[in-house]
Amino acid sequence: MARVLMLAFEGMQPLDFIAPYDLFHSAGVETLVVSENAKTQVDKRLGIAADASLSDAPEADAILVPGGHGIGSCLAHDATLEFLAHCKVQWYTSICTGSLLLAAAGLLRGYRATSHWRYVDLLALAGATPVKGKRIVIDRNRMTGGGVTAGIDFGLHLVAHLCGEDQARLAQLALEYAPVPPYAGSPEEALSETTHAYRERSAVRYAELEHALDEALLRFRG
Amino acid sequence: MARVLMLAFEGMQPLDFIAPYDLFHSAGVETLVVSENAKTQVDKRLGIAADASLSDAPEADAILVPGGHGIGSCLAHDATLEFLAHCKVQWYTSICTGSLLLAAAGLLRGYRATSHWRYVDLLALAGATPVKGKRIVIDRNRMTGGGVTAGIDFGLHLVAHLCGEDQARLAQLALEYAPVPPYAGSPEEALSETTHAYRERSAVRYAELEHALDEALLRFRG
């Protein structure tokens, strides 16, 4: 049975985590939640119990790092970066801004990778090649997904790699993933005023993440 | 500010709940989690704290019922059916097999509605008209979504109705919902062996839900 370690932290985006979590379970992939604490308070209501701490995570086929506003704090947390830098798995993977954490741990230097469209440029700070306009980027054993909802597409790709395409096809049908998005989900296709509004709304967060990644890269040497 | 009540219960499918939860928050919609208990243990790891109990839920614009394997127990639980039957909101909504619970509470009689593709036929037992092959079905003030991942499309439609299309467009871009599904997510498009395999795997659950809905309809009269 394939096994995936899933990093959990306060302030992670719930959907980044839950979309692949449900897909993995549907496909019979074992998930193990890894976190600094025995229980992570994701937001004011959602809590998730850990199966392992950062220092005792078992062997697995993959590690998955979700994104979310809590990524800023993770970038300042050497124990999390240490865990990732020394994690021995076949696949190093992320959803959304989780790729910034993989990058800070030195895992994307020299790799093509993606992130949430708003933050993907920041990967270049860590020596990665940012890829825009792709839902999933696979470069050797790094698999990075785009923003938030990319976790569904991502989960299906990882299931296909770990368990075969038949399991991935079955999981997609089980979760009835036949999307009919009413509007546009990428900056290329969205109305220019929508893209502009989101850029404005996220400008402070962009600057914060840029600073946090810079600091992590100066401080952390694995 | 628009407000949505979200029913939580043990054994709900995490993604049914979390996809609209994240979308609502991105769009500035207030969510209030309603549950029998102060804290709901969704699965062995995930817990969610309630904002209100079944007997003291505040006024809201919509009630959302997710699905999942716990729906069978909910169908046997009169307090949950009572809550739904007497809930005063503008919109009665569901994701996946959550529609079976709305149906058991008498809320879909004479309405067109949908559910997870595998279980949608069961809605006819409760006097609803099952609609197949549609991601979202809106009939007057009932909005029902298809299986699991339909919660994203659903959330965007409900946000558009409650807050306007500009907010929905912004939320779709914020969550980068530009899906690229690798396989098929509907029984019409999937390989016949995939559909057959899922039908086999879910045969026992289908029979259980059919029985639980029958029992609820015999027992519960609002």
Side-chain angles (χ1 to χ4, degrees):
Chain A
M1 183 193 265
R3 175 191 276 178
V4 178
L5 304 179
M6 299 185 71
L7 185 70
F9 52 87
E10 192 182 327
M12 71 180 180
Q13 179 89 26
L15 188 49
D16 287 19
F17 186 94
I18 292 296
Y21 183 78
D22 276 20
L23 265 172
F24 293 151
H25 293 168
S26 180
V29 173
E30 184 188 9
T31 57
L32 286 171
V33 176
V34 182
S35 183
E36 189 186 5
N37 302 308
K39 187 186 157 199
T40 300
Q41 197 64 38
V42 178
D43 67 14
K44 66 178 177 172
R45 301 186 188 107
L46 280 173
I48 186 158
D51 300 295
S53 72
L54 298 177
S55 56
D56 70 353
E59 291 189 6
D61 299 290
I63 170 79
L64 168 58
V65 182
H69 68 81
I71 279 290
S73 301
C74 287
L75 286 167
H77 191 245
D78 281 351
T80 300
L81 297 174
E82 287 282 356
F83 160 69
L84 290 173
H86 298 106
C87 186
K88 298 287 180 233
V89 288
Q90 185 191 344
W91 288 94
Y92 297 87
T93 77
S94 63
I95 301 299
C96 199
T97 49
S99 56
L100 301 181
L101 203 57
L102 287 183
L107 290 163
L108 296 180
R109 188 171 305 278
Y111 287 83
R112 290 180 302 111
T114 195
S115 190
H116 188 287
W117 66 267
R118 180 65 169 98
Y119 306 98
V120 64
D121 286 340
L122 295 176
L123 290 171
L125 297 174
T129 304
V131 178
K132 299 181 187 188
K134 289 258 290 179
R135 195 78 171 149
I136 313 287
V137 173
I138 301 176
D139 185 355
R140 286 158 282 173
N141 68 341
R142 271 58 165 172
M143 187 185 294
T144 51
V148 196
T149 56
I152 306 177
D153 307 276
F154 163 90
L156 290 165
H157 281 277
L158 192 58
V159 165
H161 279 278
L162 296 179
C163 313
E165 287 205 304
D166 286 352
Q167 279 304 316
R169 287 179 193 279
L170 195 57
Q172 184 168 338
L173 185 61
L175 271 60
E176 202 169 339
Y177 187 40
V180 187
Y183 310 109
S186 71
E188 294 77 21
E189 310 229 324
L191 300 177
S192 59
E193 56 264 40
T194 306
T195 305
H196 180 74
Y198 188 75
R199 284 192 178 278
E200 291 279 303
R201 185 169 102 176
S202 54
V204 170
R205 190 169 160 216
Y206 184 92
E208 286 171 353
L209 283 179
E210 184 174 29
H211 179 72
L213 181 55
D214 263 338
E215 291 285 309
L217 291 167
L218 281 170
R219 194 185 68 243
F220 183 74
R221 292 277 176 259
Chain B
M1 182 193 267
R3 173 191 279 178
V4 178
L5 304 179
M6 299 186 73
L7 185 69
F9 52 87
E10 191 181 327
M12 70 180 181
Q13 179 90 26
L15 188 48
D16 287 20
F17 186 95
I18 293 296
Y21 183 79
D22 275 20
L23 265 172
F24 293 151
H25 294 167
S26 180
V29 172
E30 183 188 8
T31 57
L32 285 172
V33 176
V34 181
S35 183
E36 190 187 4
N37 302 307
K39 187 186 159 199
T40 300
Q41 197 64 37
V42 178
D43 67 14
K44 66 178 178 176
R45 301 186 187 106
L46 279 173
I48 185 158
D51 300 295
S53 72
L54 298 177
S55 56
D56 71 354
E59 290 189 9
D61 298 291
I63 169 79
L64 168 59
V65 181
H69 69 82
I71 279 290
S73 302
C74 288
L75 287 167
H77 192 244
D78 282 352
T80 301
L81 297 174
E82 287 282 355
F83 160 68
L84 291 173
H86 298 106
C87 186
K88 298 287 180 235
V89 288
Q90 184 190 347
W91 287 95
Y92 297 87
T93 77
S94 63
I95 301 299
C96 198
T97 50
S99 56
L100 301 182
L101 203 57
L102 287 182
L107 289 163
L108 296 181
R109 187 170 304 278
Y111 287 81
R112 290 179 302 111
T114 196
S115 190
H116 188 288
W117 65 268
R118 180 65 170 98
Y119 305 98
V120 64
D121 286 340
L122 295 175
L123 290 171
L125 297 174
T129 303
V131 178
K132 299 180 187 188
K134 288 259 289 181
R135 195 80 171 147
I136 312 288
V137 174
I138 300 176
D139 184 355
R140 287 156 283 173
N141 68 341
R142 271 58 165 173
M143 187 186 292
T144 51
V148 195
T149 55
I152 306 176
D153 307 276
F154 163 90
L156 290 165
H157 281 278
L158 192 58
V159 165
H161 279 279
L162 296 178
C163 313
E165 287 205 304
D166 286 352
Q167 278 304 316
R169 288 180 193 279
L170 195 56
Q172 183 167 340
L173 185 61
L175 270 61
E176 203 169 339
Y177 186 40
V180 188
Y183 310 108
S186 70
E188 294 77 22
E189 310 229 325
L191 300 177
S192 59
E193 55 264 39
T194 306
T195 305
H196 181 73
Y198 188 74
R199 284 191 179 278
E200 292 279 304
R201 183 169 104 176
S202 54
V204 169
R205 189 169 161 214
Y206 184 93
E208 285 170 354
L209 282 179
E210 184 174 29
H211 179 71
L213 181 55
D214 262 338
E215 292 284 309
L217 291 167
L218 281 170
R219 196 185 68 243
F220 183 74
R221 291 277 174 264

